[in-house]
């Protein structure tokens, strides 16, 4: 009977999502068209990769990304759309399974996946035909994988070769002393750069020496979709040149504090939280973080829910509610109207940033609470995930609870044990 209730609920969510999503669908997969343009140009005239435009939109990714897009350029448009959309949907399923350590029953998994289709970052990713969910799933699969997995870290390097944002996870590998994974990631990324120079020497030189720092090619920095520290400062001060010294200081503090928090979470076994906080560092510090980049709201939200002992349902509704109703679009936007926002409009227009800070505070306060409760944080395996159980979330040790909220807790007898069921 209980199973029937869950399946009924899942069916209801699917019906609602199927009705609501088409009403919110926008953009006609324009980014997929740009990806295909990159692949086509690489085949026709590789040296012109960064000169071509699609309705004024340039190809803004590393040369290796164009290599990856060649198969999609060779497909008929309808086939490319179908394959890409299915791949995105499969990636969304993978993100949920990896974020929850595959502990959701089939009807619950179906319900949360269907429900998350209406999250603004997800529906924007689908509407634009963006690659964000695929990269998110790839990074989670790689970083959360067993320490003994061959070439672990390599997928992170390849993901960074497609879109530079996954480079931030190199920082997590450094602060957690996962040297083998870091070596694999670095080697894979270097290969992607080399491949770019082989297929389009002129384009690769142009990208890495001049275009990389040109944020004007990406879009308007003040645009409300840009949910980053840089955009926040631009909208707050009205200075289109960026946040300047204040931004640099804020970036430095975010990188230092964010990676410190990520390391502490990793050591205590909260791997999903650690990876999500690292992703958040990248989102906040990048000059441009469009709202569809914020698909990391899914694993971050799951991690915080796993951390909370009270008010889980309230937080769940609030967190995913914010990313569904997307208050960032409420104030006037487009054509730099964001520069005239009132004080109240700054709150709704920067809603993703505010939500992120709430999540960070909860995770950080949770660490302090755990310390005061006598958690053993010494970790016999150290931080070296390549050589001990601490880096093997799927290995012989206990798995953390949903959301990575496992960690180590002290028994009455004084010995530290992992919380969470044994893997079979």
């Amino acid at each position: 009977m209980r199973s029937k209730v869950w399946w009924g609920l899942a069916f209801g969510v699917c019906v609602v999502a199927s009705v609501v999503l088409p009403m919110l669908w926008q953009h006609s997969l324009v980014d997929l068209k740009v990806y295909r343009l990159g692949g086509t140009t690489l085949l026709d005239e590789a040296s012109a990769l960064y000169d071509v435009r699609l309705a004024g939109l340039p190809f803004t990714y590393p040369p290796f990304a164009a290599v990856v897009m060649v198969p999609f350029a060779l497909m008929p448009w309808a086939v490319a759309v179908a394959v890409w959309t299915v791949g995105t949907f499969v990636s969304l399923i993978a993100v949920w399974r990896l974020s929850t350590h595959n502990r959701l029953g089939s009807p619950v998994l179906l319900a949360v996946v269907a429900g998350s289709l209406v999250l603004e970052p997800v529906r924007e990713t689908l509407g634009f035909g963006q690659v964000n969910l695929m990269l998110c799933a790839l990074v989670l699969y790689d970083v959360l994988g067993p320490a003994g997995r061959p070439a672990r870290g390599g997928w992170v390097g390849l993901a960074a070769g497609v879109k530079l944002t996954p480079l931030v996870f190199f920082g997590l590998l450094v602060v957690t002393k996962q040297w083998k994974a870091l070596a694999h990631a670095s080697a894979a990324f270097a290969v992607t750069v080399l491949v770019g120079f082989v297929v389009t020497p002129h384009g690769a030189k142009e990208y890495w020496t001049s275009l990389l720092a040109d944020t004007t090619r990406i879009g308007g920095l003040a645009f409300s979709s840009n949910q980053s520290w840089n955009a926040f400062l631009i909208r707050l001060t009205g200075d289109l040149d960026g946040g300047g010294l204040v931004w640099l200081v804020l970036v430095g503090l975010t990188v230092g504090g964010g990676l410190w928090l990520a390391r502490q979470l990793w050591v205590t076994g909260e791997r999903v939280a650690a990876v999500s906080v690292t992703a958040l560092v990248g989102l906040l510090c990048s000059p441009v973080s469009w709202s569809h980049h914020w698909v990391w709201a899914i694993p971050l939200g799951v991690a915080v829910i796993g951390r909370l002992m009270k008010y889980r349902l309230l937080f769940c509704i609030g967190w995913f509610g914010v990313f569904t109703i997307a208050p960032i679009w409420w104030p006037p936007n487009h054509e730099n109207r964001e520069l005239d926002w009132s004080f109240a409009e700054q709150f709704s227009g920067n809603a993703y940033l505010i939500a992120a800070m709430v999540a960070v505070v909860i995770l950080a306060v949770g660490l302090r609470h755990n310390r005061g409760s006598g958690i053993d944080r010494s970790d016999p395996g150290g931080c070296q995930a390549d050589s001990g159980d601490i880096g093997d979330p799927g290995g012989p040790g206990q798995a953390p609870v949903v959301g990575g909220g496992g960690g180590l807790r002290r028994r009455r007898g004084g010995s530290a044990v992992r919380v969470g069921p044994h893997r079979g």
Side-chain angles (χ1 to χ4, degrees), residues 227-229 254 261 276-277 279-281 283-284 294 296-297 300-301 304 315 319 322-323 350-364:
Q227 293 289 297
S228 66
W229 287 142
T254 302
L261 177 59
S276 301
V277 167
L280 187 58
V281 169
L283 290 169
L284 295 175
W294 282 75
W296 284 96
L300 181 58
V304 176
F315 176 84
W319 178 264
V322 164
F323 288 97
N350 295 293
Y352 291 3
L353 300 179
I354 296 172
M357 292 302 97
V358 171
V360 167
V361 168
I362 292 174
L363 292 172

Side-chain angles (χ1 to χ4, degrees), residues 14-238:
C14 289
V15 170
V16 172
S18 66
V19 172
V20 174
L21 185 60
M23 297 169 59
L24 301 174
W25 191 285
Q26 300 182 61
H27 314 304
S28 65
L29 292 98
V30 64
D31 284 348
L32 178 57
K33 295 176 182 177
V34 173
Y35 296 158
R36 280 165 45 93
L37 175 66
T40 301
T41 305
L42 208 60
L43 295 173
D44 295 341
E45 188 180 354
S47 61
L49 180 60
Y50 295 105
D51 297 325
V52 294
R53 297 288 190 278
L54 177 71
L57 297 174
F59 187 81
T60 60
Y61 302 88
F64 181 73
V67 176
V68 174
M69 300 304 164
V70 166
F72 292 94
L74 296 174
M75 296 176 188
W77 171 243
V79 176
V81 169
V83 172
W84 189 267
T85 303
V86 170
T88 302
F89 185 72
V90 170
S91 298
L92 179 60
I93 296 173
V95 167
W96 275 106
R97 293 188 63 175
L98 291 163
S99 299
T100 60
H101 303 289
N102 199 22
R103 288 205 175 98
L104 297 180
S106 297
V108 178
L109 178 63
L110 176 61
V112 297
V113 169
S116 61
L117 288 173
V118 299
L119 295 176
E120 192 266 353
V122 174
R123 65 181 188 251
E124 288 287 281
T125 291
L126 286 165
F128 276 114
Q130 260 286 342
V131 72
N132 304 302
L133 276 167
M134 298 180 189
L135 297 183
C136 179
L138 198 60
V139 169
L140 287 171
Y141 168 79
D142 200 17
V143 179
L144 298 178
R149 178 187 292 163
R152 177 173 171 270
W155 289 113
V156 171
L158 290 176
V162 174
K163 195 170 187 176
L164 295 180
T165 47
L167 284 173
V168 70
F169 298 101
F170 285 45
L172 177 64
L173 299 178
V174 170
V175 297
T176 53
K177 302 181 182 179
Q178 301 183 66
W179 305 125
K180 288 183 181 179
L182 178 64
H184 295 151
S186 301
F189 180 67
V191 168
T192 68
V193 175
L194 180 61
V195 168
F197 274 98
V198 169
V199 297
T200 173
H202 172 75
K205 180 182 178 182
E206 184 181 16
Y207 179 82
W208 294 109
T209 60
S210 61
L211 298 181
L212 180 60
D214 185 6
T215 56
T216 60
R217 285 171 52 87
I218 303 175
L221 298 181
F223 189 34
S224 58
S225 179
N226 186 6
Q227 293 289 297
S228 66
W229 287 142
N230 189 44
F232 166 70
L233 292 172
I234 289 173
R235 293 190 286 261
L236 190 65
T237 64

